[in-house]
Amino acid sequence: MLSRLVPRALCCVALGVIAPVALAATDALSPKQLAGPPEEFAEMREIGVDATSIHSKAALLPIVLDAGRAGGYSWTGRLPVASNGVRFLVFAGEGDAWQVEVRSPSDVAARSAASPLRSAGRTSMGIDNLQHGADLYALDDIEGGAWEITLRSAAGSTNRRGFLLIEGDQSTELTSYQAHRRQWPGERIGFVTMLSGGAASGGVALGLRAGTITQALLRVTSPEGAETVARMHDDGAHGDGAAADGVFGGDFTARTIGQYLAQIEVQGTDARGQPLVRTSEHVVPVVARSIDVVAARAFAARDASAPDRFTLSIPVASRIRGQHYRAYAEVWGRDGMGRAIPVAWIGGMTTPADDSLQLGLDARWIARAGASAPFELRNLRLEDADHFVNVAGATRLALDLPSIGRKSAYGDGAIDESMRMGIKPAALAQRANDSINGVGRRLLLVHGYCSGGVWPASQFATASTFLDANQNRTHDAFARLIQTFGATWNSFGIVAHSQGGAAALHLYNYYWSGLDNATGARLIQSVGTPYQGTNLAGILATLGSWFGAGCGTNSNLSYSGAASWMAGIPTSSRAKVNYYTTSFRTTNWWTNDYCHAATDLVLSDPEDGTTEQAYGQLPGASNRGHVTGQCHTSGMRDPAQTADSGRNATMSANAAR
């Protein structure tokens, strides 16, 4: 284990904000009118609770030192050791480090920090230029059980609040998930938690015990910083299933809009009877219900510029002028026997106007399905465009459509781009070959969250670097900035790192841009993008709640936030992405290697110091392979993944522009 304790440089994490970026009216994008076949209904519907699960092998414990009799401050608690060793981090904030003392279960005499405690010195866990300093320690070749740990600060020290991050045995994980998605002020937001087998044990299905929980707490931090702690229960009355089944439930009331942090902490024993402590950290954006669907019927009119298209108008009452939403609905009709049949899903980004919200529908979807009146919309949902939280909807709406004429007029049923995305704006279509109003074709090099230029521009041809240094953007705001930067050129492709990959896909899926004029083999290429989220999102948000976080916290790259985002990205758009993943170099079979000693305590192998390989996958896209010996960014143990000149040359040669 000693090889894992070498102090490393800063851990850089590409995470993404709670507050949307305000854009001038002149920067407004032209949204696509998305649609797809009924075969895609399942992947486009609102996510279930299983998609919000966090699986944690570690515990991030908040620490408050109490005044001692002899001066100074201290805290004493349990340090569970389930095997023959443990690693842990002590976060004491700015100023003097805390002293650490440990005492074994069979030894009443406190031991010094040097024996058996080994210190690896100073390290950090953070987001590129935003870092939370910590001291890394390890206990090796010791007896298992509940050790005692004492943290002390010197007299006169102002450091009284911090965190203790304890790595646990990865064969036992804490599984927790949000019980529902009604994330609005005044609603009770519930969580469910249990112990489950981790990756090291081959995994255990949810609900099958991998240990015993003796106490479960739900610790909630409000957007204003107020903290509440409540017990979770296994009594069958708190959304926890049956009583005494090992599953615990609890909830809290969201009082205001903003970003809440919900941390679940459990104490107990594993399947072998060894003590354990685990936590999971959930980022919970609460948004205003700023719009209502106010009628049971939607109406449609022919699009004057495209006779084979309809514009659907859904009556709404909007309380925030100019706010846009992500919309989704399913169109249903009737077959020749009068039975209900699915026609297509429709959706995209839309801004209400004149008390109605508009969506587009190509008549060829109706012809393809062989459907006729009466029509209806089902499973309509309107979501906040930054966090993809459902704010309004309807199970069914009657839909009045004009007569579509003879079905044979709408082709052979083949699906083309205009059916899926609507009609490309004339001005954009003209720019595809316009040498007057634009300046040719380009490859954009895009960084991640709270980051700067990470790509060696000299290794890419006809390329320009997008730079929004040390900023925090939601996927939607990030995508808009990329579009604005790329508007200089008639067309562009993208090579992106970390969150930049998700933002690039978001741009292509929801808005018309120079991406839609690009030609070449690979439209979007990404390296190290956590398309399905990263466990660091909740960890860093929790640390920031006490220490401050200059770049802020974002739900988009949490596990649940990423799943909600992906529920609006159809396979046809994902297919435009070519992605790569990397992880640390494995030097020999008896060491547990890592990219960064701090993040290794909370991420599941293999990982690159930020993105776990399993959660870097984008189903439906082209996986270009996994490489070992490369980490997420510079300053980690192995070289940065963006510095691979061979892969960069391949991406440059294959990039669309």
Side-chain angles (χ1 to χ4, degrees), residues 436-463:
I436 298 176
N437 296 318
V439 288
R441 304 177 182 277
R442 209 71 176 167
L443 176 62
L444 305 189
L445 306 178
V446 179
H447 58 71
Y449 163 81
C450 202
S451 182
V454 296
W455 296 104
S458 62
Q459 296 179 10
F460 297 87
T462 321

Side-chain angles (χ1 to χ4, degrees), residues 560-640:
S560 59
S564 297
W565 168 71
M566 201 174 294
I569 311 292
T571 300
S572 58
S573 291
R574 300 181 197 180
K576 299 296 184 179
V577 176
N578 293 261
Y579 69 95
Y580 299 85
T581 56
T582 75
S583 65
F584 51 78
R585 178 182 67 257
T586 301
T587 56
N588 46 57
W589 63 267
W590 63 85
T591 60
N592 188 353
D593 293 305
Y594 58 89
C595 270
H596 191 276
T599 61
D600 188 53
L601 272 63
V602 298
L603 297 177
S604 297
D605 295 340
E607 39 86 4
D608 66 8
T610 296
T611 301
E612 298 152 305
Q613 182 183 4
Y615 292 94
Q617 306 302 303
L618 180 62
S622 295
N623 184 340
R624 293 294 174 177
H626 182 83
V627 175
T628 60
Q630 296 179 2
C631 295
H632 196 75
T633 190
S634 59
M636 295 186 178
R637 194 193 67 173
D638 296 329

Side-chain angles (χ1 to χ4, degrees), residues 70-83:
Y73 302 90
S74 67
W75 172 90
T76 298
R78 290 201 320 163
L79 181 68
V81 179
S83 57

Side-chain angles (χ1 to χ4, degrees), residues 224-273:
E224 297 80 20
E227 183 180 288
T228 60
V229 180
R231 286 186 177 273
M232 301 179 75
H233 302 275
D234 182 14
D235 57 4
H238 289 79
D240 57 299
D245 63 354
V247 180
F248 285 68
D251 59 26
F252 72 95
T253 299
R255 302 296 183 187
T256 62
I257 63 172
Q259 192 150 251
Y260 290 76
L261 302 176
Q263 185 188 51
I264 295 170
E265 177 189 331
V266 305
Q267 305 276 351
T269 56
D270 64 17
R272 295 165 294 182

Side-chain angles (χ1 to χ4, degrees), residues 134-178:
D135 294 295
L136 177 61
Y137 297 91
L139 289 164
D140 293 310
D141 300 322
I142 57 174
E143 63 180 295
W147 283 60
E148 183 180 276
I149 180 170
T150 299
L151 305 176
R152 301 183 189 277
S153 67
S157 172
T158 59
N159 293 359
R160 295 187 57 188
R161 284 161 51 103
F163 290 90
L164 175 63
L165 176 61
I166 307 170
E167 180 184 35
D169 187 334
Q170 62 182 353
S171 65
T172 307
E173 294 180 333
L174 178 66
T175 295
S176 59
Y177 58 86
Q178 191 174 325

Side-chain angles (χ1 to χ4, degrees), residues 317-624:
S318 179
R319 290 177 285 281
I320 301 180
R321 183 178 178 83
Q323 181 164 321
H324 67 291
Y325 300 88
R326 185 172 78 168
Y328 170 87
E330 297 164 8
V331 180
W332 288 68
R334 300 283 173 171
D335 65 10
M337 302 294 292
R339 296 170 297 195
I341 57 172
V343 173
W345 66 265
I346 57 176
M349 296 293 180
T350 180
T351 303
D354 299 326
D355 298 323
S356 70
L357 181 147
Q358 296 185 336
L359 297 173
L361 173 65
D362 195 303
R364 287 174 291 177
W365 290 113
I366 299 172
R368 182 179 183 271
S372 58
F375 294 98
E376 65 178 354
L377 296 180
R378 294 186 182 181
N379 300 317
L380 169 68
R381 71 177 191 266
L382 306 178
E383 298 172 338
D384 167 88
D386 282 299
H387 311 291
F388 319 111
V389 174
N390 194 342
V391 294
T395 304
R396 291 191 174 188
L397 285 177
L399 174 60
D400 290 343
L401 281 177
S403 172
I404 65 171
R406 293 184 304 145
K407 295 178 183 178
S408 59
Y410 300 104
D412 59 4
I415 300 174
D416 63 19
E417 181 186 84
S418 64
M419 290 175 68
R420 282 194 171 275
M421 295 185 167
I423 306 300
K424 182 186 294 187
L428 181 63
Q430 181 182 357
R431 284 174 64 91
N433 298 296
D434 189 344
S435 60
I436 298 176
N437 296 318
V439 288
R441 304 177 182 277
R442 209 71 176 167
L443 176 62
L444 305 189
L445 306 178
V446 179
H447 58 71
Y449 163 81
C450 202
S451 182
V454 296
W455 296 104
S458 62
Q459 296 179 10
F460 297 87
T462 321
S464 292
T465 297
F466 167 87
L467 189 61
D468 182 39
N470 304 323
Q471 299 298 318
N472 188 358
R473 313 293 188 193
T474 64
H475 288 351
D476 193 67
F478 201 154
R480 289 169 168 248
L481 291 174
I482 296 172
Q483 191 277 342
T484 299
F485 177 75
T488 299
W489 298 280
N490 297 333
S491 66
F492 59 84
I494 292 176
V495 166
H497 181 241
S498 203
Q499 193 209 354
L505 174 54
H506 187 97
L507 172 60
Y508 174 77
N509 188 66
Y510 290 111
Y511 303 106
W512 293 105
S513 74
L515 281 171
D516 297 285
N517 285 341
T519 57
R522 302 182 186 178
L523 186 64
I524 298 170
Q525 300 176 86
S526 69
V527 181
T529 298
Y531 287 105
Q532 298 183 51
T534 172
N535 196 31
L536 291 181
I539 294 284
L540 297 176
T542 303
L543 291 172
S545 69
W546 278 19
F547 296 142
C551 280
T553 301
N554 180 357
S555 69
N556 285 181
L557 294 189
S558 67
Y559 292 141
S560 59
S564 297
W565 168 71
M566 201 174 294
I569 311 292
T571 300
S572 58
S573 291
R574 300 181 197 180
K576 299 296 184 179
V577 176
N578 293 261
Y579 69 95
Y580 299 85
T581 56
T582 75
S583 65
F584 51 78
R585 178 182 67 257
T586 301
T587 56
N588 46 57
W589 63 267
W590 63 85
T591 60
N592 188 353
D593 293 305
Y594 58 89
C595 270
H596 191 276
T599 61
D600 188 53
L601 272 63
V602 298
L603 297 177
S604 297
D605 295 340
E607 39 86 4
D608 66 8
T610 296
T611 301
E612 298 152 305
Q613 182 183 4
Y615 292 94
Q617 306 302 303
L618 180 62
S622 295
N623 184 340
R624 293 294 174 177

